[in-house]
Amino acid sequence: MTTTAARRPDDRGQVTIEFLGMTPTILVTLVVLWQLVLVGYAFTLAGNAADEAVRAATAAAPGARQGACRAAGLDKLSGAWAGGATVNCTTSGGFVTADVRIGVPLLFPGTVSLPLDVEGHAGAVEEERD
């Protein structure tokens, strides 16, 4: 009776070769997943920034509304995310809306951005003045 090792001595190192062959596929998969996480995080940041911006804008006087909106919208964004962000507030019929647009970075925030912007939108009723 012969052993398995005696029958197939040429199989040594096969797992190493297969792993080396799969390494590029594994790395590409991880990079794609990381990029998708960044896209999702950008949506979260844009939505939160829009909520903060509209909250500040409804409490501000009509003349100072755009400045308060922009400051509050950019306040919660770190420097890497705030660099290409735009915040815009509008008022119509007692309703204030805030739109925030954030660029999606390529792999790391603060580096090159993808040609993809995500938008956050929020609205609230204007506060009454006594």
Side-chain angles (χ1 to χ4, degrees), residues 14-83:
Q14 183 66 31
V15 172
T16 303
I17 298 299
E18 289 174 1
F19 179 74
L20 288 175
M22 288 300 296
T23 299
T25 304
I26 293 168
L27 290 176
V28 167
T29 302
L30 290 175
V31 167
V32 168
L33 288 175
W34 176 248
Q35 190 61 50
L36 290 174
V37 166
L38 284 177
V39 170
Y41 188 57
F43 273 104
T44 301
L45 285 177
N48 183 55
D51 288 340
E52 295 288 332
V54 79
R55 189 175 296 123
T58 58
R65 187 163 284 156
Q66 186 63 31
C69 174
R70 179 165 172 70
L74 295 176
D75 181 49
K76 301 294 185 201
L77 298 176
S78 69
W81 291 93

